[in-house]
Amino acid sequence: MAARRFSPLFFRSLSAPSSSFLTRSSGKNGFSGRNSKGFATTAAAVEEIINPPVQVSYTQHLINGNFVDSASGKTFPTLDPRTGEVIAHVAEGDAEDIDRAVKAARKAFDEGPWPKMPAYERSRILLRFADLVEKNSEELAILETWDNGKPYEQSSKSEIPMLARLFRYYAGWADKIHGLTVPADGNYHVQTLHEPIGVAGQIIPWNFPLLMFAWKVGPALACGNTLVLKTAEQTPLTALYAGKLFHEAGLPDGVLNIVSGYGPEAGAPLASHMDVDKLAFTGSTETGKVVLELAAKSNLKPVTLELGGKSPFIVCEDADIDKAVELAHFALFFNQGQCCCAGSRTYVHERVYDEFVEKAKARALRRAVGDPFKKGIEQGPQVDSEQFEKVMRYIRSGLESDAVLECGGERIGNKGYFIQPTVFSNVKEDMLIARDEIFGPVQSILKFKDLDEVIQRANNTRYGLAAGVFTRSLETANRMTRALRAGTVWVNCFDVFDAAIPFGGYKMSGIGREKGIYSLHNYLQVKAVVAPLKNPAWI
Ligand code: NAI
Ligand code: MG
């Protein structure tokens, strides 16, 4: 029983050396074919598709330390968003696979060493995993970009290092989790024990596959839980690779189980499973409601939700306009606009509005769109045809409204899911593009007169995930940070995601917080232990 039983195909294909890759991808600074407006043209976007050097033909679920087929034998393709072509076939999970995975996690929790081992040992396994992430960072970054479409430079320079950082952060917590001694009336010794909650079910989306893996798996493991993770159907590859690395790091079998598949077929049975003790979900508000109801109707498992947003980014009249333009651009367009906290309502003070719009348009026209594997590319394709169509529908609704299209608005090329960076000005509160989460490269710029008004308008949404304020006045900043009803308020910065900073939503943007010390509470039970200080008369 020496060798670990990983899917041979997966294992072999992903361990192929890929040193030629970087040379190839960095050789061309791929946005030569730009038209007069500065957009990346069809040719720039799709003609020079770089073939990643790794080969993945088929991957399986990770259950109880083994890579295994689906009970049904079914598979589904995961697609390359640059072309719509198949990258690999993936075992497609359903209720039976979820049940197998939950049974493995249950056994690993009830009978296995993980919850009972010295916390320092758990910590060391998380640290070893982080080391392996760094060692395998190139393959991880390639797979993340290939499956999702995000720029390779973003995957490799930001997200993979952050993945390692997050697990080191949680490794640091593992042996510092403990309860309290509680003063109580009467002659009692009262203590609280902070115990792992049991088997966690976790459902993640496709926009940051590995970071969402870390936000969920990190705190669950640090606290001694076991878990079943359901990845997004668009991006199943990197979590499986991370699961393989976790077993190399010494994680006991059954602690981390990963099932690929679609929401209703694999996600729903996880949310409603009677033997899952806690559910964590990131995705749309709509699906968040569904899983909350499934959890309530089954065994009342506690649920944390990280959902949609329509975050305001407020540019005050005292702001340095050039810097505000750049930050507002980043706040919206980062990750192809596919961020739950995207600054998707850009509020600009009327005195600087026209200048801001001109410069925001110029910046969007300069945005480098193309094959995400090419150096210098800022924007790749949207993740899939469904997201692409959704964004194009919102662009059409913007065109049909009284908003002014400053630039963009069209597809790039005829294959893959590339969309021109799009800017609308003259956007009004009641327009669909100002109300709904578009989740794409579409900036909506609104005008405001004074702070009272913009606070009221910024808060007039069913969401409350994040907000940005750009000002040189400390007084304005303090006032806004107190008044804005959002889980994160960034002042003169945006998308700062340190491992220690809690993240989550007010209102319909979610329930609970991830990252930081707050995330541990999601994965712990508090047990009160009460005993008399002296032997009482009744014993
Ligand atoms: P979704 O919320 O439907 O999917 C997220 C995850 O939930 C995926 O793993 C999916 O398989 C799973 N899921 C879907 N239906 C389920 C069900 N009935 N039971 C259990 N699990 C289920 O999001 P989708 O369809 O990928 O994107 C729709 C919109 O959601 C996007 O356009 C965007 O506006 C928003 N979204 C927000 C994210 C965030 O970070 N908060 C991430 C992804 C999408
Ligand atoms: Mg969906």
Side-chain angles (χ1 to χ4, degrees):
M1 298 299 288
R4 197 148 272 290
R5 298 136 292 175
F6 295 112
S7 153
L9 282 171
F10 193 75
F11 189 83
R12 190 175 59 230
S13 55
L14 288 175
S15 53
S18 52
S19 50
S20 62
F21 175 71
L22 281 179
T23 334
R24 259 197 282 160
S25 66
S26 58
K28 287 205 180 101
N29 199 341
F31 41 118
S32 45
R34 313 196 109 217
N35 66 18
S36 55
K37 277 168 135 185
F39 291 136
T41 61
T42 307
V46 291
E47 258 181 16
E48 295 182 78
I49 294 296
I50 292 168
N51 287 322
V54 292
Q55 295 290 319
V56 193
S57 47
Y58 171 54
T59 80
Q60 299 162 298
H61 308 296
L62 176 56
I63 298 177
N64 206 25
N66 298 312
F67 277 97
V68 294
D69 287 331
S70 289
S72 69
K74 273 166 66 174
T75 67
F76 69 103
T78 185
L79 306 178
D80 180 345
R82 303 173 304 164
T83 58
E85 285 163 12
V86 177
I87 299 174
H89 293 273
V90 182
E92 180 184 332
D94 62 19
E96 203 175 331
D97 304 295
I98 290 290
D99 192 52
R100 280 195 294 169
V102 172
K103 284 201 170 88
R106 183 87 260 160
K107 192 158 184 285
F109 187 78
D110 292 344
E111 299 165 30
W114 185 249
K116 299 173 202 79
M117 73 169 61
Y120 178 52
E121 291 304 316
R122 280 206 299 271
S123 163
R124 294 184 65 184
I125 290 171
L126 297 186
L127 290 171
R128 277 204 292 274
F129 171 72
D131 292 344
L132 287 170
V133 165
E134 280 170 352
K135 215 170 131 194
N136 294 274
S137 60
E138 195 183 335
E139 269 97 346
L140 281 166
I142 292 169
L143 283 178
E144 194 77 330
T145 286
W146 202 6
D147 222 6
N148 168 279
K150 64 179 66 207
Y152 178 75
E153 288 181 346
Q154 182 185 323
S155 302
S156 63
K157 290 188 186 150
S158 162
E159 296 186 13
I160 307 305
M162 194 59 184
L163 174 70
R165 175 69 185 97
L166 281 155
F167 276 98
R168 292 202 177 105
Y169 174 83
Y170 283 112
W173 270 121
D175 59 355
K176 296 165 196 71
I177 294 166
H178 55 76
L180 303 169
T181 318
V182 182
D185 288 350
N187 283 319
Y188 292 98
H189 175 228
V190 182
Q191 61 186 137
T192 58
L193 305 180
H194 291 186
E195 298 181 337
I197 201 163
V199 175
Q202 306 184 321
I203 301 175
I204 58 172
W206 43 263
N207 51 346
F208 294 93
L210 278 172
L211 292 182
M212 293 302 100
F213 173 92
W215 288 20
K216 299 270 182 296
V217 174
L221 293 186
C223 295
N225 298 275
T226 62
L227 64 98
V228 176
L229 178 85
K230 208 292 279 174
T231 49
E233 57 272 25
Q234 296 88 344
T235 53
L237 297 179
T238 46
L240 290 165
Y241 191 81
K244 176 179 92 76
L245 296 181
F246 246 123
H247 286 85
E248 282 173 36
L251 192 73
D253 289 349
V255 173
L256 168 63
N257 305 278
I258 302 173
V259 176
S260 311
Y262 294 95
E265 290 73 22
L270 183 59
S272 59
H273 203 290
M274 290 300 286
D275 227 5
V276 170
D277 301 306
K278 190 260 167 328
L279 185 73
F281 171 84
T282 296
S284 64
T285 296
E286 196 188 6
T287 305
K289 286 182 177 179
V290 172
V291 297
L292 186 62
E293 193 180 353
L294 291 172
K297 283 188 171 157
S298 52
N299 61 347
L300 281 177
K301 56 181 80 61
V303 179
T304 41
L305 301 172
E306 204 262 273
L307 307 175
K310 191 72 186 175
S311 300
F313 182 95
I314 301 169
V315 179
C316 300
E317 64 178 311
D318 65 350
D320 177 320
I321 296 303
D322 291 337
K323 289 179 182 157
V325 163
E326 187 58 36
L327 196 60
H329 178 86
F330 169 68
L332 184 280
F333 289 98
F334 174 61
N335 207 45
Q336 291 69 246
Q338 300 168 148
C339 294
C340 48
C341 56
S344 52
R345 288 181 292 152
T346 311
Y347 286 100
V348 181
H349 192 273
E350 60 180 6
R351 248 182 253 162
V352 291
Y353 187 82
D354 291 344
E355 183 188 352
F356 185 96
V357 169
E358 259 328 289
K359 289 181 168 170
K361 170 185 174 178
R363 179 61 185 93
L365 288 171
R366 280 201 311 277
R367 189 165 185 77
V369 187
D371 186 326
F373 281 111
K374 287 181 191 161
K375 198 163 184 241
I377 286 297
E378 297 175 286
Q379 181 177 316
Q382 308 308 118
V383 75
D384 66 3
S385 62
E386 197 181 317
Q387 291 301 311
F388 172 84
E389 293 299 343
K390 174 185 167 185
V391 176
M392 294 310 287
R393 272 198 305 279
Y394 278 111
I395 290 176
R396 279 197 294 279
S397 101
L399 291 171
E400 285 158 13
S401 72
D402 288 334
V404 176
L405 178 72
E406 297 287 342
C407 64
E410 284 172 28
R411 175 181 203 169
I412 301 176
N414 53 15
K415 92 178 157 168
Y417 312 116
F418 297 86
I419 297 179
Q420 289 175 337
T422 299
V423 176
F424 283 106
S425 64
N426 198 35
V427 176
K428 298 284 162 13
E429 232 70 41
D430 58 350
M431 293 175 185
L432 221 50
I433 56 171
R435 291 208 317 265
D436 287 8
E437 180 173 61
I438 301 177
F439 232 61
V442 183
Q443 185 174 31
S444 298
I445 312 183
L446 304 91
K447 193 189 282 186
F448 74 91
K449 275 190 175 51
D450 62 54
L451 293 186
D452 281 337
E453 175 213 330
V454 78
I455 287 167
Q456 190 273 327
R457 287 168 62 192
N459 285 335
N460 186 18
T461 165
R462 59 186 184 276
Y463 294 120
L465 195 55
V469 179
F470 209 83
T471 177
R472 281 188 273 218
S473 157
L474 187 59
E475 197 178 321
T476 302
N478 285 335
R479 182 167 161 210
M480 303 291 269
T481 53
R482 269 59 184 172
L484 291 167
R485 300 200 8 90
T488 302
V489 183
W490 283 296
V491 180
N492 298 333
C493 61
F494 208 87
D495 283 344
V496 177
F497 283 110
D498 190 86
I501 303 174
F503 187 80
Y506 282 34
K507 300 192 269 182
M508 286 174 74
S509 288
I511 300 175
R513 295 292 178 270
E514 297 191 289
K515 296 195 292 129
I517 188 170
Y518 301 91
S519 61
L520 302 174
H521 303 311
N522 301 327
Y523 293 96
L524 292 169
Q525 283 282 20
V526 177
K527 179 184 282 173
V529 178
V530 185
L533 282 169
K534 282 196 251 167
N535 271 349
W538 60 80
I539 65 161

